[in-house]
């Protein structure tokens, strides 16, 4: 891992600790570099925290990687089947790498919850909250995974084909 990746991983973890949701913590790390202003990025990422609005489905840090992939590798035309195929292959590879490292891409499984969804009201961000949540570490892991795949694509070590 290069120094830039480690700095970005720390930045994502720190953002979660500042109160950003898990998706925002990861996605904001890439917004400006990929040409999107921070406020727009934060707004786009805001519904995905807590496994999509506290539904505890796909982990928000994974959603943050997927949003970054859309900005960096996404397609815009509805008939761009090759672009869609390439992006979906990237998304599946990111998910595979995250699951291999963390055991799941599902929020409730990563948090060890026995219920499918939570009330929409977010929990207060207290020291106890942060002690029981692996989210800052998952945010850092998501950045390392995303940067790793991007490096592999750039070096020709991974291809969507």
């Amino acid at each position: 891992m290069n120094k830039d990746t480690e700095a970005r991983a720390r930045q994502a973890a720190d953002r979660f600790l500042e109160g950003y949701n898990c998706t925002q913590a990861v996605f904001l790390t890439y917004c400006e570099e990929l040409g999107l202003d921070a406020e727009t990025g934060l707004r786009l990422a805001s519904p995905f925290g807590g496994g999509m609005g506290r539904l505890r489905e796909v982990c928000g840090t994974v959603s943050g990687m997927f949003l970054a992939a859309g900005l960096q590798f996404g397609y815009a035309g509805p008939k761009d089947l090759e672009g869609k195929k390439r992006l979906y292959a990237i998304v599946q590879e990111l998910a595979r790498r995250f699951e291999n490292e963390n055991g799941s891409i599902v929020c409730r499984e990563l948090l060890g919850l026995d219920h499918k969804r939570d009330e929409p009201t977010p929990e207060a961000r207290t020291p106890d909250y942060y002690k029981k949540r692996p989210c800052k570490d998952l945010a850092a892991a998501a950045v390392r995974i995303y940067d790793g795949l991007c490096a592999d694509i750039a070096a020709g070590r991974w291809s969507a084909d």
Side-chain angles (χ1 to χ4, degrees), residues 11 17 25 38 49 61 63-64 72 87 91 113 115 122 124 127 129 138 142 158 161:
Q11 187 177 54
L17 294 175
T61 67
S63 295
Q72 187 165 0
L87 178 63
V91 165
L113 300 175
H115 56 278
Y129 172 91
L138 294 172
W158 187 89
D161 298 323

Side-chain angles (χ1 to χ4, degrees), residues 17 30 34 39 44 52 56 66 82 94 98 102 109 113-114 119 122 126 130 135:
L17 294 175
Y30 298 101
L34 296 174
E39 183 177 346
L44 285 170
M52 299 185 180
R56 303 302 180 198
F66 294 171
E82 284 305 309
L94 289 167
F98 190 92
N102 298 291
E109 293 173 4
L113 300 175
D114 61 359
E119 294 297 319
T126 64
Y130 289 116
C135 307

Side-chain angles (χ1 to χ4, degrees), residues 82-94:
E82 284 305 309
K84 185 182 282 192
K85 176 184 171 186
R86 180 172 190 251
L87 178 63
Y88 288 177
I90 289 168
V91 165
Q92 289 184 13
E93 180 64 11
L94 289 167

Side-chain angles (χ1 to χ4, degrees), residues 46-145:
S46 64
F48 295 97
M52 299 185 180
R54 292 178 50 89
L55 291 171
R56 303 302 180 198
E57 295 295 339
V58 174
C59 171
T61 67
V62 173
S63 295
M65 290 191 301
F66 294 171
L67 286 167
L71 268 181
Q72 187 165 0
F73 302 105
Y75 61 95
K79 295 181 181 182
D80 184 359
L81 298 181
E82 284 305 309
K84 185 182 282 192
K85 176 184 171 186
R86 180 172 190 251
L87 178 63
Y88 288 177
I90 289 168
V91 165
Q92 289 184 13
E93 180 64 11
L94 289 167
R96 186 191 68 75
R97 290 181 184 200
F98 190 92
E99 187 171 19
N100 284 348
E101 185 173 318
N102 298 291
S104 180
I105 67 164
V106 177
C107 175
R108 69 180 163 277
E109 293 173 4
L110 293 163
L111 296 181
L113 300 175
D114 61 359
H115 56 278
K116 189 163 178 139
R117 64 183 66 200
D118 284 329
E119 294 297 319
T121 304
E123 291 180 56
R125 296 287 186 99
T126 64
D128 285 341
Y129 172 91
Y130 289 116
K131 283 181 190 173
K132 66 182 179 179
R133 290 283 189 266
C135 307
K136 80 170 179 58
D137 297 327
L138 294 172
V143 167
R144 289 184 194 103
I145 290 163

